[in-house]
Amino acid sequence: MNALFPFHATTRDINVHVAVTFLPEQSEPDRGRWFWAYHIRIENDGNQPIQLLTRHWIITDGRGTQHRVDGDGVVGEQPVVQPGKSYDYVSGCPLNTPTGSMKGHYHMIGASGETFDIAIPHFALIAPAVAE
């Protein structure tokens, strides 16, 4: 799993795995635009269903400028993840620098009605030419 999803965080028996891919075909470095796709897998290793209600992201560009993103659900959904199951989605992030990072949390509700936050691991956004 770590080979496919190198970034990982666990909160309350909920695992969040992240894989990042730089998308050169959607990037325009000459215009100051770099684009990444990120694949998130949320695994419920707990004993009750959970539902993702909202997301909170902190996106930092290579200059240290932070942009916060808050909203309902992910990719238009507020998924319920049953015990022993997982939920996957893919989204994207544009930046005006060739490097940056993302981190955040999801606000969840359990079957008991209790709400809680689960961590999204911090992960780097690095265009390949910068890594050389």
Side-chain angles (χ1 to χ4, degrees), residues 56-60 66-69 101-105 122:
H56 172 77
W57 286 103
I58 300 172
I59 303 168
T60 305
Q66 290 189 339
H67 178 68
R68 296 178 187 275
V69 177
S101 65
M102 294 177 68
K103 64 181 179 180
H105 67 263
H122 180 266

Side-chain angles (χ1 to χ4, degrees), residues 43-97:
E43 297 175 339
N44 183 356
D45 289 336
N47 57 12
Q48 67 172 318
I50 55 167
Q51 183 176 18
L52 190 156
L53 299 176
T54 63
R55 68 188 182 282
H56 172 77
W57 286 103
I58 300 172
I59 303 168
T60 305
D61 70 18
R63 295 181 189 95
T65 303
Q66 290 189 339
H67 178 68
R68 296 178 187 275
V69 177
D70 293 288
D72 290 338
V74 290
V75 294
E77 298 182 13
Q78 291 181 310
V80 173
V81 185
Q82 298 295 329
K85 301 292 183 182
S86 64
Y87 174 80
D88 288 73
Y89 76 94
V90 176
S91 192
C93 179
L95 286 181
N96 58 5
T97 60

Side-chain angles (χ1 to χ4, degrees), residues 26-40:
Q26 292 188 26
S27 298
E28 299 175 285
D30 294 346
R31 295 178 177 228
R33 177 180 157 84
W34 290 264
F35 197 86
W36 291 264
Y38 55 90
H39 178 170
I40 304 258

Side-chain angles (χ1 to χ4, degrees), residues 14 22 24 42 61 86:
I14 311 301
F22 177 67
I42 301 167
D61 70 18
S86 64

